[in-house]
Amino acid sequence: MTLEDELHGWLEHMARSYAVGDAAACARMFSEDAMLHSPFAPPAHGRAEIEILHRDWTRTATAKRFDILSFGGSGDLAWILARFSEGDTGTGTTLAVLDRSAGTGWLCKACSLNEEQI
């Protein structure tokens, strides 16, 4: 499997978890010490805060879609720049830095969401 396939799978898992309103599953995709920055909420530090954010965001089931714009990696570190679209939020971009370990696979260490300005 290529790095692109792995990262695409990670994004698809996030989209499915989001669409069914599973905030805990969304949060498990982040490391315990992850940071998430978004124009839609205050910064979240750590998996517990990230789950709280996702509980609010996934309160109503909404289809979410990601399209990879660019990606890269070296060893067990990777990054993804993707466009997202979803329900009321609309569209924007996300930049995520991921770390891979044998026990957990890819987990997000840092994520920044940005609203698309029209």
Side-chain angles (χ1 to χ4, degrees):
M1 185 179 301
T2 67
L3 177 61
E4 183 175 15
D5 292 335
E6 290 180 44
L7 298 177
H8 179 74
W10 188 88
L11 288 171
E12 286 297 311
H13 184 150
M14 176 62 80
R16 283 191 308 274
S17 298
Y18 198 97
V20 298
D22 192 341
C26 291
R28 283 191 302 273
M29 297 183 71
F30 290 81
S31 65
E32 289 291 341
D33 62 346
M35 297 184 317
L36 189 151
H37 295 273
S38 166
F40 311 111
H45 300 275
R47 188 180 286 163
E49 287 184 17
I50 290 169
E51 182 174 349
I52 291 167
L53 257 182
H54 279 86
R55 267 192 234 135
D56 184 47
W57 292 348
T58 62
R59 189 166 291 136
T60 56
T62 301
K64 187 166 189 124
R65 177 184 166 97
F66 292 100
D67 295 302
I68 295 176
L69 301 173
S70 189
F71 70 94
S74 178
D76 291 328
L77 291 175
W79 58 270
I80 311 168
L81 177 63
R83 186 169 193 267
F84 68 83
S85 60
E86 80 168 86
D88 295 336
T89 302
T91 59
T93 55
T94 183
L95 176 62
V97 177
L98 292 88
D99 186 27
R100 177 177 49 196
S101 73
T104 60
W106 290 108
L107 292 178
C108 185
K109 300 286 286 175
C111 182
S112 175
L113 304 171
N114 299 285
E115 230 176 337
E116 186 172 276
Q117 301 294 319
I118 298 177

